[in-house]
Structure formats: C-alpha cells, structure tokens
Amino acid sequence: SFELTQPPSVSVSPGQTASITCSGDKLGYKYTCWYQQKPGQSPTLVMCEDTQRPSGIPERFSGSTSGNTATLTISGTQAVDEAAYYCQAWDGTTVVFGGGTKLTVL
Amino acid sequence: QLRLQESGPGLVKPSETLSLICSVSGGSTSSNSHIWGWIRQPPGKGLEWIGSIHYGGIIHYNPSLKSRSATSVDTSKNQLSLRLSSVTAADTAVYYCARQEIRVGVTWFDSWGQGTLVTVSS
C-alpha cells in the first residue's frame, strides 16, 4: 500500500490563511479527501475529490493538488477551525489516512 | 437522517477477540450506493482504516490487520459487525463505523458513528 505524510502541526493567526499539506507517492493519480476532528468528536468530511466541498462546509475551506501533494486551505481562519485535520486517499482496495495535522489558531 | 451506533465490550483481555456491532438507522446496509467501513483511533493518535464491506460480499481489509480481522453485514438487522482476534494493548482504540461513498477513483466516509472505546487489558 502507500503512505500519506502530513506535518504534525500548523499554527495560524485568526483571519489569516492556513495551509495543510498531504504528500504521498503517486498521490497525483488519486483523489484526496480531508476530515476535521475536534477533541472528543468523530471526524467530519470537509473536502473530497481534491476540491469538492460537502454541503454545509464553509466556503473558506478549499482544496487543491499539485504533483504528489494535496493541500487543504482555510482562508480567514476562525477559532472554531482549531482541530486535527486528516487527509485520506484510496488506491482501489486500500484506504489510507495521513497521520494528521493539529491546527492551532493563535 | 442516517445514524450509526457502535456497541460492544469496553474491555477485552489480551489474546482474546474483540467483537463490535454497528447499528444503522435512517439508511439501509443493503444500499447499492454505499459500502460500510470500520476505522479506529488509538488514544491521542491518528485514524487507521480497518476494513470495508459491501452487502453483496465484497470486502477489503487493511493489509496490516487482515490476518486478524473479519467484518460482516446483517441486512435483516441493518447491522455491521467487526471481529478482531488475538488482541494486544496496541489494539486499544476508539473504534468507529462509517458509511462509505464510492465513485470512480475515490472513496470517502460521509457519516460516522460516535465511536466506542475498547481497552485491551488483563
């Protein structure tokens, strides 16, 4: 199978833009999805098929991919966005999650 | 509204088998549009996919857990089940069931249960 690598932590000031990356071998040939998880809660899907935002997810969340790196971008980051974020991809049989990135809004 | 609820023993002894049930309401486990997955999260750590199943019998497992994992669907009860054998302390985790959407080249988990903590200890 393959692995997905995320930075353990990202810090951002309120109102600024946060970027969380996810890299993996041949990730450019796969779609990436992203989940937000707040302490004590189940994960919530915030982005999928690289750039598609599920209904109910704020427009400040966007996704992109370049080469073997997918990026989740949060524009105008708010305090409520402080959470762990996980990327996820699929090779047709195996689902893989990244190790997660703790986003801190200072 | 779809709801998933995991249930099972919160404490399992080392070397024994962990058994969990996921009860689905507001949706059908016999849907052709979805499959159903199990994911776990050790305390303070990240998410780990365990396996996924379609009611028609197609099952995929995480290669690292495949030899110890078994999942099934009971459409008459609208339930999923997970069994993980020969558990050790490393299997201590919150276990989630989730509905899984599949499209060409992509899959995602769009609805999750609240999770159940299983501790492996004597």
Side-chain angles (χ1 to χ4, degrees):
Chain A
S1 59
F2 59 100
E3 294 183 357
L4 299 176
T5 301
Q6 298 181 237
S9 62
V10 169
S11 297
V12 64
S13 299
Q16 299 303 303
T17 297
S19 295
I20 301 171
T21 59
C22 174
S23 60
D25 187 35
K26 299 181 181 178
L27 188 59
Y29 294 96
K30 306 177 181 67
Y31 283 112
T32 303
C33 298
W34 293 90
Y35 301 85
Q36 176 193 69
Q37 186 181 33
K38 296 183 178 181
Q41 297 183 15
S42 303
T44 299
L45 183 71
V46 295
M47 190 65 56
C48 212
E49 295 180 271
D50 293 345
T51 62
Q52 301 304 303
R53 195 174 55 248
S55 63
I57 301 303
E59 291 185 5
R60 63 180 181 273
F61 286 84
S62 63
S64 63
T65 188
S66 177
N68 290 326
T69 299
T71 302
L72 177 70
T73 301
I74 309 172
S75 304
T77 306
Q78 301 181 7
V80 295
D81 300 327
E82 185 163 288
Y85 291 84
Y86 296 90
C87 61
Q88 173 250 304
W90 182 55
D91 67 0
T93 57
T94 303
V95 174
V96 175
F97 288 97
T101 298
K102 174 70 169 92
L103 177 67
T104 301
V105 182
L106 299 171
Chain B
Q1 182 179 356
L2 182 69
R3 185 168 181 261
L4 300 93
Q5 178 70 57
E6 305 88 350
S7 61
L11 182 64
V12 180
K13 290 182 168 57
S15 80
E16 295 189 344
T17 296
L18 175 162
S19 295
L20 295 174
I21 295 290
C22 174
S23 299
V24 178
S25 58
S28 174
T29 54
S30 58
S31 165
N32 274 317
S33 303
H34 299 97
I35 64 176
W36 305 88
W38 289 95
I39 303 101
R40 69 180 184 179
Q41 185 172 34
K45 296 187 178 181
L47 302 170
E48 180 179 35
W49 172 70
I50 301 170
S52 300
I53 182 169
H54 182 269
Y55 83 98
I58 297 174
I59 305 174
H60 294 296
Y61 293 110
N62 185 325
S64 68
L65 297 170
K66 184 175 183 177
S67 64
R68 299 193 292 127
S69 303
T71 185
S72 62
V73 175
D74 186 335
T75 56
S76 67
K77 296 181 179 178
N78 224 26
Q79 291 178 339
L80 321 170
S81 69
L82 173 71
R83 291 170 60 86
L84 185 66
S85 63
S86 304
V87 297
T88 69
D91 295 309
T92 294
V94 174
Y95 285 76
Y96 297 99
C97 59
R99 188 178 71 176
Q100 192 173 343
E101 181 86 38
I102 280 194
R103 305 277 172 83
V104 175
V106 63
T107 190
W108 64 86
F109 302 95
D110 63 357
S111 187
W112 296 62
Q114 67 182 30
T116 186
L117 175 62
V118 178
T119 301
V120 178
S121 175
S122 56

